[in-house]
Short mmCIF file of all heavy atoms in Angstrom, two decimals:
data_model
loop_
_atom_site.label_atom_id
_atom_site.label_comp_id
_atom_site.label_asym_id
_atom_site.label_seq_id
_atom_site.Cartn_x
_atom_site.Cartn_y
_atom_site.Cartn_z
N VAL A 42 -142.86 -46.28 47.75
CA VAL A 42 -141.73 -47.18 47.97
C VAL A 42 -140.86 -46.61 49.09
O VAL A 42 -140.46 -45.45 49.04
CB VAL A 42 -140.88 -47.34 46.69
CG1 VAL A 42 -139.68 -48.23 46.95
CG2 VAL A 42 -141.72 -47.90 45.56
N GLU A 43 -140.59 -47.42 50.10
CA GLU A 43 -139.70 -47.02 51.19
C GLU A 43 -138.28 -46.98 50.64
O GLU A 43 -137.76 -47.98 50.16
CB GLU A 43 -139.80 -48.01 52.35
CG GLU A 43 -138.84 -47.75 53.47
CD GLU A 43 -139.11 -46.43 54.18
OE1 GLU A 43 -140.29 -46.07 54.30
OE2 GLU A 43 -138.14 -45.80 54.58
N GLU A 44 -137.66 -45.80 50.68
CA GLU A 44 -136.36 -45.62 50.03
C GLU A 44 -135.25 -46.40 50.71
O GLU A 44 -134.32 -46.86 50.05
CB GLU A 44 -136.01 -44.14 49.99
CG GLU A 44 -137.02 -43.36 49.18
CD GLU A 44 -136.42 -42.19 48.47
OE1 GLU A 44 -135.20 -42.03 48.50
OE2 GLU A 44 -137.19 -41.45 47.87
N ASN A 45 -135.30 -46.55 52.01
CA ASN A 45 -134.22 -47.24 52.72
C ASN A 45 -134.26 -48.75 52.53
O ASN A 45 -133.23 -49.39 52.39
CB ASN A 45 -134.26 -46.91 54.21
CG ASN A 45 -134.03 -45.43 54.46
OD1 ASN A 45 -133.32 -44.78 53.69
ND2 ASN A 45 -134.64 -44.90 55.49
N THR A 46 -135.46 -49.32 52.55
CA THR A 46 -135.58 -50.78 52.47
C THR A 46 -135.98 -51.28 51.09
O THR A 46 -135.77 -52.45 50.78
CB THR A 46 -136.62 -51.28 53.49
OG1 THR A 46 -137.89 -50.72 53.16
CG2 THR A 46 -136.23 -50.91 54.90
N GLY A 47 -136.59 -50.44 50.27
CA GLY A 47 -137.05 -50.87 48.96
C GLY A 47 -138.39 -51.59 48.99
O GLY A 47 -138.83 -52.11 47.98
N MET A 48 -139.05 -51.60 50.15
CA MET A 48 -140.34 -52.27 50.28
C MET A 48 -141.43 -51.40 49.66
O MET A 48 -141.43 -50.18 49.81
CB MET A 48 -140.66 -52.53 51.75
CG MET A 48 -139.66 -53.44 52.43
SD MET A 48 -139.59 -55.09 51.74
CE MET A 48 -141.18 -55.70 52.17
N ILE A 49 -142.38 -52.03 48.99
CA ILE A 49 -143.47 -51.33 48.34
C ILE A 49 -144.70 -51.37 49.24
O ILE A 49 -145.11 -52.44 49.69
CB ILE A 49 -143.80 -51.96 46.98
CG1 ILE A 49 -142.57 -51.91 46.06
CG2 ILE A 49 -144.98 -51.27 46.33
CD1 ILE A 49 -142.73 -52.69 44.78
N ASN A 50 -145.29 -50.21 49.50
CA ASN A 50 -146.50 -50.11 50.29
C ASN A 50 -147.69 -50.12 49.33
O ASN A 50 -147.97 -49.14 48.66
CB ASN A 50 -146.49 -48.82 51.12
CG ASN A 50 -147.70 -48.68 51.99
OD1 ASN A 50 -148.58 -49.53 51.99
ND2 ASN A 50 -147.74 -47.61 52.77
N TYR A 51 -148.40 -51.26 49.28
CA TYR A 51 -149.50 -51.41 48.35
C TYR A 51 -150.79 -50.76 48.84
O TYR A 51 -151.79 -50.76 48.15
CB TYR A 51 -149.75 -52.89 48.07
CG TYR A 51 -148.64 -53.53 47.28
CD1 TYR A 51 -147.72 -54.38 47.88
CD2 TYR A 51 -148.50 -53.29 45.93
CE1 TYR A 51 -146.70 -54.97 47.16
CE2 TYR A 51 -147.49 -53.86 45.19
CZ TYR A 51 -146.60 -54.71 45.81
OH TYR A 51 -145.58 -55.27 45.09
N ASP A 52 -150.78 -50.19 50.04
CA ASP A 52 -151.98 -49.57 50.60
C ASP A 52 -152.07 -48.09 50.28
O ASP A 52 -153.14 -47.50 50.42
CB ASP A 52 -152.01 -49.76 52.12
CG ASP A 52 -152.09 -51.23 52.50
OD1 ASP A 52 -152.68 -52.01 51.73
OD2 ASP A 52 -151.54 -51.59 53.56
N ALA A 53 -150.99 -47.45 49.88
CA ALA A 53 -151.00 -46.01 49.64
C ALA A 53 -150.35 -45.70 48.29
O ALA A 53 -149.49 -46.44 47.82
CB ALA A 53 -150.24 -45.30 50.74
N GLN A 54 -150.82 -44.62 47.67
CA GLN A 54 -150.27 -44.19 46.39
C GLN A 54 -149.83 -42.74 46.49
O GLN A 54 -150.31 -41.98 47.33
CB GLN A 54 -151.31 -44.33 45.28
CG GLN A 54 -151.63 -45.77 44.95
CD GLN A 54 -152.59 -45.87 43.78
OE1 GLN A 54 -153.39 -44.98 43.55
NE2 GLN A 54 -152.49 -46.95 43.05
N GLU A 55 -148.89 -42.35 45.62
CA GLU A 55 -148.40 -40.98 45.57
C GLU A 55 -148.21 -40.57 44.12
O GLU A 55 -148.21 -41.41 43.23
CB GLU A 55 -147.09 -40.84 46.34
CG GLU A 55 -145.95 -41.61 45.72
CD GLU A 55 -144.65 -41.48 46.49
OE1 GLU A 55 -144.60 -40.69 47.43
OE2 GLU A 55 -143.70 -42.18 46.14
N LYS A 56 -148.02 -39.27 43.92
CA LYS A 56 -147.80 -38.76 42.57
C LYS A 56 -146.39 -39.13 42.11
O LYS A 56 -145.44 -39.03 42.85
CB LYS A 56 -147.91 -37.24 42.56
CG LYS A 56 -149.28 -36.70 42.80
CD LYS A 56 -149.23 -35.19 42.75
CE LYS A 56 -150.58 -34.59 43.06
NZ LYS A 56 -150.53 -33.11 43.05
N ASN A 57 -146.29 -39.56 40.86
CA ASN A 57 -145.01 -39.81 40.22
C ASN A 57 -145.06 -39.21 38.83
O ASN A 57 -146.11 -39.16 38.20
CB ASN A 57 -144.70 -41.30 40.13
CG ASN A 57 -144.22 -41.85 41.44
OD1 ASN A 57 -143.25 -41.37 42.00
ND2 ASN A 57 -144.90 -42.86 41.94
N TYR A 58 -143.92 -38.74 38.35
CA TYR A 58 -143.85 -38.04 37.08
C TYR A 58 -142.87 -38.73 36.14
O TYR A 58 -141.81 -39.17 36.56
CB TYR A 58 -143.37 -36.60 37.29
CG TYR A 58 -144.17 -35.84 38.32
CD1 TYR A 58 -143.77 -35.80 39.66
CD2 TYR A 58 -145.33 -35.18 37.96
CE1 TYR A 58 -144.51 -35.10 40.60
CE2 TYR A 58 -146.07 -34.49 38.90
CZ TYR A 58 -145.66 -34.45 40.21
OH TYR A 58 -146.39 -33.77 41.15
N THR A 59 -143.22 -38.78 34.87
CA THR A 59 -142.27 -39.23 33.86
C THR A 59 -141.43 -38.03 33.45
O THR A 59 -141.74 -36.89 33.78
CB THR A 59 -142.98 -39.81 32.63
OG1 THR A 59 -143.77 -38.78 32.03
CG2 THR A 59 -143.85 -41.00 32.99
N LYS A 60 -140.36 -38.26 32.71
CA LYS A 60 -139.50 -37.17 32.26
C LYS A 60 -140.29 -36.20 31.38
O LYS A 60 -140.16 -34.98 31.52
CB LYS A 60 -138.31 -37.74 31.50
CG LYS A 60 -137.34 -36.69 31.03
CD LYS A 60 -136.17 -37.29 30.29
CE LYS A 60 -135.24 -36.22 29.79
NZ LYS A 60 -134.12 -36.76 29.04
N ASN A 61 -141.12 -36.72 30.50
CA ASN A 61 -141.91 -35.86 29.61
C ASN A 61 -142.90 -35.02 30.41
O ASN A 61 -143.12 -33.85 30.10
CB ASN A 61 -142.65 -36.69 28.57
CG ASN A 61 -141.72 -37.30 27.55
OD1 ASN A 61 -140.61 -36.81 27.35
ND2 ASN A 61 -142.16 -38.37 26.92
N GLN A 62 -143.50 -35.61 31.44
CA GLN A 62 -144.44 -34.86 32.27
C GLN A 62 -143.74 -33.76 33.04
O GLN A 62 -144.27 -32.65 33.17
CB GLN A 62 -145.16 -35.80 33.24
CG GLN A 62 -146.17 -36.69 32.59
CD GLN A 62 -146.72 -37.72 33.55
OE1 GLN A 62 -146.05 -38.13 34.48
NE2 GLN A 62 -147.95 -38.14 33.31
N MET A 63 -142.53 -34.03 33.54
CA MET A 63 -141.79 -32.99 34.26
C MET A 63 -141.46 -31.83 33.34
O MET A 63 -141.61 -30.66 33.72
CB MET A 63 -140.50 -33.57 34.85
CG MET A 63 -140.70 -34.46 36.03
SD MET A 63 -141.46 -33.62 37.42
CE MET A 63 -140.21 -32.45 37.85
N GLU A 64 -141.01 -32.13 32.12
CA GLU A 64 -140.70 -31.06 31.17
C GLU A 64 -141.95 -30.27 30.82
O GLU A 64 -141.92 -29.04 30.75
CB GLU A 64 -140.07 -31.65 29.92
CG GLU A 64 -138.69 -32.22 30.14
CD GLU A 64 -138.16 -33.00 28.96
OE1 GLU A 64 -138.91 -33.18 27.96
OE2 GLU A 64 -137.00 -33.44 29.02
N GLN A 65 -143.07 -30.96 30.62
CA GLN A 65 -144.33 -30.29 30.29
C GLN A 65 -144.81 -29.43 31.46
O GLN A 65 -145.27 -28.31 31.26
CB GLN A 65 -145.38 -31.34 29.94
CG GLN A 65 -146.69 -30.75 29.46
CD GLN A 65 -147.64 -31.83 28.98
OE1 GLN A 65 -147.30 -33.01 28.96
NE2 GLN A 65 -148.82 -31.43 28.61
N ASN A 66 -144.68 -29.93 32.69
CA ASN A 66 -145.10 -29.17 33.87
C ASN A 66 -144.24 -27.92 34.05
O ASN A 66 -144.74 -26.86 34.42
CB ASN A 66 -145.05 -30.04 35.12
CG ASN A 66 -146.10 -31.13 35.12
OD1 ASN A 66 -147.09 -31.03 34.40
ND2 ASN A 66 -145.89 -32.16 35.90
N LEU A 67 -142.93 -28.04 33.79
CA LEU A 67 -142.05 -26.87 33.90
C LEU A 67 -142.37 -25.82 32.83
O LEU A 67 -142.35 -24.62 33.10
CB LEU A 67 -140.59 -27.29 33.81
CG LEU A 67 -140.05 -28.02 35.03
CD1 LEU A 67 -138.65 -28.54 34.76
CD2 LEU A 67 -140.06 -27.11 36.24
N ARG A 68 -142.69 -26.27 31.61
CA ARG A 68 -143.09 -25.32 30.56
C ARG A 68 -144.39 -24.62 30.93
O ARG A 68 -144.54 -23.41 30.73
CB ARG A 68 -143.24 -26.05 29.22
CG ARG A 68 -141.95 -26.31 28.50
CD ARG A 68 -142.17 -26.70 27.06
NE ARG A 68 -143.07 -27.83 26.91
CZ ARG A 68 -142.71 -29.10 26.84
NH1 ARG A 68 -141.43 -29.41 26.90
NH2 ARG A 68 -143.60 -30.05 26.70
#
Side-chain angles (χ1 to χ4, degrees):
V42 178
E43 175 65 35
E44 299 212 6
N45 297 329
T46 62
M48 299 297 294
I49 300 171
N50 182 358
Y51 291 105
D52 297 329
Q54 291 184 331
E55 65 181 353
K56 292 180 183 179
N57 282 304
Y58 307 93
T59 62
K60 181 179 178 182
N61 290 337
Q62 287 172 331
M63 286 299 295
E64 291 171 356
Q65 185 174 357
N66 291 340
L67 288 173
R68 280 194 306 268

